[in-house]
Amino acid sequence: MIDPNRTLLGKWSSPLNRVRVYQTAEGLDVETHEHFEVANTRVFYEDVQLVTIHREYGTLYLTLTGLFSFGFLLLFGYMATLGEAGVVAGAVIFIMMGLPFTVAFLTRAFWGVDVVTVFGRRSKATLRFKFRKRHAREVYGKICALVRAAQRVAFAPPAEASPAESLAPPIPDSVLLPPPEQ
Amino acid sequence: MAIALAYAGPQCPRCGIVLTADHLRNGIITCPICVRPFEATVFTPPERPRVAVAETHVVAGPVEANACANHARNAAVTSCARCGLFICSLCEMNVGTGSYCPSCFDRVRAEGTLAPVATRYRDWASIARLTAIVGLLFYIFWPFVGGLALFFAVKGMRQRKEQGRSRIGMAIVMLIAIGEIVGGIVIYGFMVWAFTRGIK
Ligand SMILES: [Zn+2]
Ligand SMILES: [Zn+2]
Ligand SMILES: [Zn+2]
């Protein structure tokens, strides 16, 4: 059922779902894991109308991680005023609970996420890349090339079509042709 | 299902607004709605010849219903099992194992693979993983959660095999599950032993 020759182009996890995008011979397969269910959708290369790339930072993500790290920082600041034991306890709490948010906030604020989106006629696929910016670019180029190739093959004009020159009307005698060069 | 629902062609990748043809061009595009930039490559695939169906058969549907992708005036009755496209009862090609849109039906038939192309299935592997790992916390119930995890893992293993994917993860889950069963039995044995000693 699953194409054994497909290659993983990208994967992304969010609290809501996990998405994997595969490259197959005829299109991109999007596998979305959600609530212990897997949904498969496909974007055929022949159907692709638009491929985009952009960098986003995610306002909600930055706000939430920023608020959490700031909250734990405040807690640390408050505990630090309670004496030496407070400093230690506050630091432990911050490292255990606040630091992951701070790291998440800073990495997102510095690097952002590169998003490649493929819009077909009937379906779309989204690929996100956290650190591998060059790879995101490559994937963007690769998808464009695959789409171009597939659409050229699928919609190439039939071979028996007559060449354009023969369709041009003959030059009337009244037209003065430039004298042939000597 | 929700994935293919609202889709209506090329959108702004940043805010999701549907882009009209005059906004589609190669290079940097600034979204007319959210005014944020993105880089784009535009393709213009010619329309694939559609299956000829009479446009006049209007199928009445609820006012808010989604329209058929091929017949704007018809209410969609289902979505294609392969591409998720909304289709009305005229377009629907039901092959018993699922409904396909005309173009997917042609493809599936051409490939000679009219086997069910499942778009949604239960992922037993992740259920098994969760059962085994969360089960570790409840050592009182280990033999039961272990048995349950093992049951799911067997299903997950079979699924992974059918899909031709790695089964190492499921093997580890099975080991954890067996560990839980054995560990749980040892704990029960110890409890019984301690209890009988206490009586004497
Ligand atoms: Zn926008
Ligand atoms: Zn379809
Ligand atoms: Zn229709």
Side-chain angles (χ1 to χ4, degrees):
Chain A
M1 242 200 273
I2 282 171
D3 184 354
N5 296 319
R6 66 184 193 171
T7 48
L8 185 65
L9 278 185
K11 55 181 175 181
W12 183 261
S13 307
S14 79
L16 296 176
N17 55 27
R18 284 183 298 129
V19 181
R20 283 158 184 271
V21 179
Y22 295 92
Q23 174 197 334
T24 70
E26 57 179 3
L28 299 177
D29 275 6
V30 185
E31 199 178 86
T32 311
H33 292 248
E34 211 173 22
H35 313 302
F36 304 117
E37 276 196 337
V38 184
N40 283 322
T41 44
R42 176 171 290 186
V43 184
F44 291 109
Y45 298 136
E46 286 172 29
D47 270 353
V48 170
Q49 293 177 306
L50 178 70
V51 185
T52 66
I53 184 169
H54 70 276
R55 183 163 301 171
E56 67 181 23
Y57 293 91
T59 320
L60 183 69
Y61 184 92
L62 282 181
T63 311
L64 285 179
T65 52
L67 272 179
F68 273 103
S69 37
F70 185 65
F72 281 107
L73 208 62
L74 276 187
L75 185 69
F76 174 59
Y78 167 70
M79 290 181 78
T81 61
L82 303 176
E84 216 164 279
V87 175
V88 175
V92 168
I93 290 175
F94 180 74
I95 289 166
M96 299 265 289
M97 301 173 83
L99 204 59
F101 292 108
T102 312
V103 170
F105 175 81
L106 291 178
T107 46
R108 179 60 70 88
F110 278 117
W111 280 286
V113 177
D114 279 16
V115 187
V116 175
T117 320
V118 184
F119 297 95
R121 233 195 273 281
R122 305 170 289 180
S123 46
K124 69 169 182 177
T126 308
L127 294 111
R128 291 165 190 276
F129 301 95
K130 238 183 232 174
F131 302 114
R132 300 185 296 161
K133 304 301 177 197
R134 194 135 57 101
H135 182 66
R137 253 299 129 198
E138 282 165 10
V139 166
Y140 175 69
K142 188 178 176 183
I143 291 171
C144 286
L146 285 165
V147 169
R148 212 167 282 134
Q151 294 190 357
R152 199 162 41 217
V153 170
F155 303 110
E160 64 269 18
S162 41
E165 295 87 55
S166 65
L167 288 177
I171 301 163
D173 294 331
S174 57
V175 174
L176 289 171
L177 290 168
E181 279 176 324
Q182 283 159 9
Chain B
M1 282 296 259
I3 305 155
L5 286 196
Y7 190 71
Q11 299 162 316
C12 164
R14 311 196 69 143
C15 69
I17 193 86
V18 175
L19 293 170
T20 47
D22 47 314
H23 284 110
L24 296 180
R25 62 173 181 276
N26 289 330
I28 306 287
I29 297 178
T30 304
C31 171
I33 301 300
C34 68
V35 212
R36 285 178 294 184
F38 56 90
E39 195 182 324
T41 305
V42 179
F43 298 92
T44 44
E47 283 287 328
R48 195 179 285 133
R50 275 180 188 156
V51 174
V53 272
E55 199 78 54
T56 46
H57 294 270
V58 177
V59 180
V63 185
E64 296 277 22
N66 290 290
C68 168
N70 298 327
H71 307 96
R73 288 158 66 209
N74 289 4
V77 292
T78 185
S79 57
C80 172
R82 192 152 191 239
C83 68
L85 188 76
F86 275 128
I87 40 181
C88 70
S89 52
L90 289 173
C91 299
E92 184 185 2
M93 305 272 186
N94 197 307
V95 294
T97 51
S99 297
Y100 295 91
C101 73
S103 54
C104 284
F105 178 77
D106 287 345
R107 278 178 170 276
V108 166
R109 193 175 42 184
E111 286 166 3
T113 52
L114 259 179
V117 183
T119 50
R120 217 161 233 285
Y121 56 89
R122 226 161 247 297
D123 184 17
W124 293 110
S126 55
I127 297 174
R129 207 180 308 130
L130 190 78
T131 311
I133 289 167
V134 173
L136 281 175
L137 301 173
F138 304 97
Y139 59 88
I140 290 297
F141 304 111
W142 270 0
F144 305 103
V145 287
L148 204 59
L150 195 62
F151 171 72
F152 290 142
V154 169
K155 280 181 159 278
M157 192 80 131
R158 205 174 298 148
Q159 208 169 43
R160 287 279 147 105
K161 190 183 172 188
E162 277 170 15
Q163 296 172 347
R165 295 165 87 157
S166 164
R167 280 170 281 165
I168 297 166
M170 279 305 95
I172 293 170
V173 169
M174 280 181 172
L175 284 181
I176 294 174
I178 291 166
E180 282 171 352
I181 295 169
V182 173
I185 289 168
V186 169
I187 289 171
Y188 285 175
F190 178 74
M191 280 175 7
V192 169
W193 175 77
F195 184 68
T196 50
R197 261 180 76 97
I199 286 174
K200 277 177 197 165

